[in-house]
mmCIF file of all heavy atoms in Angstrom:
data_model
loop_
_atom_site.group_PDB
_atom_site.id
_atom_site.type_symbol
_atom_site.label_atom_id
_atom_site.label_comp_id
_atom_site.label_asym_id
_atom_site.label_seq_id
_atom_site.Cartn_x
_atom_site.Cartn_y
_atom_site.Cartn_z
ATOM 1 N N PRO A 1350 9.808 -37.418 98.613
ATOM 2 C CA PRO A 1350 9.917 -35.983 98.322
ATOM 3 C C PRO A 1350 10.188 -35.708 96.840
ATOM 4 O O PRO A 1350 10.764 -36.550 96.149
ATOM 5 C CB PRO A 1350 11.125 -35.532 99.147
ATOM 6 C CG PRO A 1350 11.552 -36.692 99.962
ATOM 7 C CD PRO A 1350 10.893 -37.917 99.454
ATOM 8 N N PHE A 1351 9.746 -34.550 96.396
ATOM 9 C CA PHE A 1351 10.063 -34.088 95.043
ATOM 10 C C PHE A 1351 10.497 -32.641 95.162
ATOM 11 O O PHE A 1351 10.332 -32.018 96.220
ATOM 12 C CB PHE A 1351 8.852 -34.264 94.109
ATOM 13 C CG PHE A 1351 7.590 -33.619 94.622
ATOM 14 C CD1 PHE A 1351 7.312 -32.286 94.342
ATOM 15 C CD2 PHE A 1351 6.680 -34.348 95.387
ATOM 16 C CE1 PHE A 1351 6.141 -31.688 94.810
ATOM 17 C CE2 PHE A 1351 5.504 -33.757 95.859
ATOM 18 C CZ PHE A 1351 5.253 -32.421 95.570
ATOM 19 N N SER A 1352 11.040 -32.081 94.094
ATOM 20 C CA SER A 1352 11.519 -30.707 94.139
ATOM 21 C C SER A 1352 10.408 -29.759 94.556
ATOM 22 O O SER A 1352 9.267 -29.896 94.135
ATOM 23 C CB SER A 1352 12.025 -30.300 92.750
ATOM 24 O OG SER A 1352 12.176 -28.892 92.707
ATOM 25 N N LYS A 1353 10.737 -28.788 95.407
ATOM 26 C CA LYS A 1353 9.680 -27.852 95.798
ATOM 27 C C LYS A 1353 9.453 -26.779 94.737
ATOM 28 O O LYS A 1353 8.522 -25.990 94.838
ATOM 29 C CB LYS A 1353 9.960 -27.256 97.167
ATOM 30 C CG LYS A 1353 11.155 -26.363 97.259
ATOM 31 C CD LYS A 1353 11.236 -25.814 98.691
ATOM 32 C CE LYS A 1353 12.560 -25.109 98.907
ATOM 33 N NZ LYS A 1353 12.769 -24.715 100.287
ATOM 34 N N TYR A 1354 10.320 -26.743 93.721
ATOM 35 C CA TYR A 1354 10.118 -25.767 92.653
ATOM 36 C C TYR A 1354 9.119 -26.310 91.641
ATOM 37 O O TYR A 1354 9.078 -27.513 91.400
ATOM 38 C CB TYR A 1354 11.451 -25.455 91.968
ATOM 39 C CG TYR A 1354 12.424 -24.869 92.953
ATOM 40 C CD1 TYR A 1354 13.499 -25.620 93.428
ATOM 41 C CD2 TYR A 1354 12.236 -23.585 93.447
ATOM 42 C CE1 TYR A 1354 14.370 -25.096 94.366
ATOM 43 C CE2 TYR A 1354 13.100 -23.058 94.380
ATOM 44 C CZ TYR A 1354 14.169 -23.811 94.848
ATOM 45 O OH TYR A 1354 15.010 -23.299 95.782
ATOM 46 N N PRO A 1355 8.315 -25.444 91.059
ATOM 47 C CA PRO A 1355 7.339 -25.945 90.088
ATOM 48 C C PRO A 1355 8.056 -26.438 88.837
ATOM 49 O O PRO A 1355 9.152 -25.988 88.544
ATOM 50 C CB PRO A 1355 6.483 -24.706 89.776
ATOM 51 C CG PRO A 1355 7.315 -23.540 90.170
ATOM 52 C CD PRO A 1355 8.265 -23.995 91.226
ATOM 53 N N PRO A 1356 7.422 -27.383 88.123
ATOM 54 C CA PRO A 1356 8.053 -27.865 86.902
ATOM 55 C C PRO A 1356 8.166 -26.730 85.885
ATOM 56 O O PRO A 1356 7.363 -25.815 85.873
ATOM 57 C CB PRO A 1356 7.113 -28.960 86.408
ATOM 58 C CG PRO A 1356 5.842 -28.771 87.143
ATOM 59 C CD PRO A 1356 6.128 -28.011 88.382
ATOM 60 N N CYS A 1357 9.208 -26.784 85.044
ATOM 61 C CA CYS A 1357 9.432 -25.745 84.048
ATOM 62 C C CYS A 1357 9.414 -26.415 82.683
ATOM 63 O O CYS A 1357 10.089 -27.407 82.463
ATOM 64 C CB CYS A 1357 10.796 -25.105 84.317
ATOM 65 S SG CYS A 1357 11.353 -24.038 83.013
ATOM 66 N N TYR A 1358 8.580 -25.899 81.782
ATOM 67 C CA TYR A 1358 8.388 -26.551 80.486
ATOM 68 C C TYR A 1358 9.159 -25.857 79.374
ATOM 69 O O TYR A 1358 8.674 -25.709 78.268
ATOM 70 C CB TYR A 1358 6.896 -26.600 80.148
ATOM 71 C CG TYR A 1358 6.100 -27.355 81.178
ATOM 72 C CD1 TYR A 1358 5.279 -26.689 82.082
ATOM 73 C CD2 TYR A 1358 6.201 -28.746 81.267
ATOM 74 C CE1 TYR A 1358 4.556 -27.393 83.038
ATOM 75 C CE2 TYR A 1358 5.481 -29.457 82.223
ATOM 76 C CZ TYR A 1358 4.664 -28.772 83.106
ATOM 77 O OH TYR A 1358 3.956 -29.459 84.043
ATOM 78 N N LYS A 1359 10.353 -25.321 79.691
ATOM 79 C CA LYS A 1359 11.065 -24.577 78.653
ATOM 80 C C LYS A 1359 12.333 -25.287 78.186
ATOM 81 O O LYS A 1359 13.324 -24.665 77.892
ATOM 82 C CB LYS A 1359 11.370 -23.166 79.168
ATOM 83 C CG LYS A 1359 10.110 -22.301 79.148
ATOM 84 C CD LYS A 1359 10.333 -20.939 79.712
ATOM 85 C CE LYS A 1359 10.194 -21.014 81.204
ATOM 86 N NZ LYS A 1359 10.283 -19.731 81.884
ATOM 87 N N ASP A 1360 12.294 -26.607 78.189
ATOM 88 C CA ASP A 1360 13.444 -27.359 77.696
ATOM 89 C C ASP A 1360 13.588 -27.184 76.188
ATOM 90 O O ASP A 1360 12.612 -26.978 75.481
ATOM 91 C CB ASP A 1360 13.252 -28.856 77.974
ATOM 92 C CG ASP A 1360 13.504 -29.175 79.433
ATOM 93 O OD1 ASP A 1360 13.965 -28.263 80.147
ATOM 94 O OD2 ASP A 1360 13.221 -30.307 79.835
ATOM 95 N N ILE A 1361 14.827 -27.284 75.708
ATOM 96 C CA ILE A 1361 15.061 -27.257 74.261
ATOM 97 C C ILE A 1361 15.864 -28.506 73.899
ATOM 98 O O ILE A 1361 16.783 -28.882 74.622
ATOM 99 C CB ILE A 1361 15.890 -26.019 73.853
ATOM 100 C CG1 ILE A 1361 15.176 -24.735 74.307
ATOM 101 C CG2 ILE A 1361 16.111 -25.994 72.346
ATOM 102 C CD1 ILE A 1361 15.967 -23.482 73.979
ATOM 103 N N SER A 1362 15.496 -29.141 72.824
ATOM 104 C CA SER A 1362 16.288 -30.286 72.348
ATOM 105 C C SER A 1362 17.016 -29.889 71.071
ATOM 106 O O SER A 1362 16.514 -29.087 70.278
ATOM 107 C CB SER A 1362 15.364 -31.460 72.028
ATOM 108 O OG SER A 1362 14.621 -31.795 73.165
ATOM 109 N N PHE A 1363 18.195 -30.434 70.892
ATOM 110 C CA PHE A 1363 18.960 -30.207 69.660
ATOM 111 C C PHE A 1363 19.248 -31.546 68.992
ATOM 112 O O PHE A 1363 19.546 -32.521 69.670
ATOM 113 C CB PHE A 1363 20.315 -29.546 69.970
ATOM 114 C CG PHE A 1363 20.189 -28.177 70.580
ATOM 115 C CD1 PHE A 1363 20.145 -28.018 71.961
ATOM 116 C CD2 PHE A 1363 20.134 -27.046 69.770
ATOM 117 C CE1 PHE A 1363 20.023 -26.762 72.520
ATOM 118 C CE2 PHE A 1363 20.017 -25.782 70.334
ATOM 119 C CZ PHE A 1363 19.956 -25.636 71.710
ATOM 120 N N TRP A 1364 19.141 -31.554 67.681
ATOM 121 C CA TRP A 1364 19.632 -32.706 66.926
ATOM 122 C C TRP A 1364 20.988 -32.301 66.377
ATOM 123 O O TRP A 1364 21.130 -31.214 65.797
ATOM 124 C CB TRP A 1364 18.672 -33.043 65.787
ATOM 125 C CG TRP A 1364 17.520 -33.890 66.251
ATOM 126 C CD1 TRP A 1364 17.406 -35.242 66.114
ATOM 127 C CD2 TRP A 1364 16.342 -33.433 66.928
ATOM 128 N NE1 TRP A 1364 16.232 -35.675 66.670
ATOM 129 C CE2 TRP A 1364 15.551 -34.594 67.177
ATOM 130 C CE3 TRP A 1364 15.869 -32.199 67.361
ATOM 131 C CZ2 TRP A 1364 14.320 -34.529 67.831
ATOM 132 C CZ3 TRP A 1364 14.663 -32.138 68.007
ATOM 133 C CH2 TRP A 1364 13.891 -33.287 68.247
ATOM 134 N N ILE A 1365 21.978 -33.112 66.620
ATOM 135 C CA ILE A 1365 23.339 -32.685 66.263
ATOM 136 C C ILE A 1365 23.976 -33.662 65.278
ATOM 137 O O ILE A 1365 23.574 -34.823 65.184
ATOM 138 C CB ILE A 1365 24.235 -32.586 67.523
ATOM 139 C CG1 ILE A 1365 24.219 -33.923 68.298
ATOM 140 C CG2 ILE A 1365 23.765 -31.454 68.426
ATOM 141 C CD1 ILE A 1365 25.097 -33.909 69.533
ATOM 142 N N ASN A 1366 24.981 -33.159 64.527
ATOM 143 C CA ASN A 1366 25.739 -34.068 63.657
ATOM 144 C C ASN A 1366 27.197 -34.128 64.112
ATOM 145 O O ASN A 1366 27.549 -33.587 65.162
ATOM 146 C CB ASN A 1366 25.585 -33.654 62.197
ATOM 147 C CG ASN A 1366 26.154 -32.259 61.952
ATOM 148 O OD1 ASN A 1366 26.995 -31.783 62.740
ATOM 149 N ND2 ASN A 1366 25.714 -31.602 60.907
ATOM 150 N N GLU A 1367 28.062 -34.766 63.318
ATOM 151 C CA GLU A 1367 29.441 -35.031 63.761
ATOM 152 C C GLU A 1367 30.231 -33.753 63.991
ATOM 153 O O GLU A 1367 31.198 -33.740 64.739
ATOM 154 C CB GLU A 1367 30.229 -35.878 62.740
ATOM 155 C CG GLU A 1367 29.519 -37.113 62.227
ATOM 156 C CD GLU A 1367 28.452 -36.753 61.182
ATOM 157 O OE1 GLU A 1367 28.814 -36.169 60.147
ATOM 158 O OE2 GLU A 1367 27.253 -37.027 61.434
#
Side-chain angles (χ1 to χ4, degrees):
F1351 54 87
S1352 166
K1353 66 178 170 187
Y1354 299 107
C1357 169
Y1358 301 106
K1359 284 177 276 185
D1360 284 352
I1361 303 178
S1362 303
F1363 297 91
W1364 277 260
I1365 55 179
N1366 62 22
E1367 312 77 60

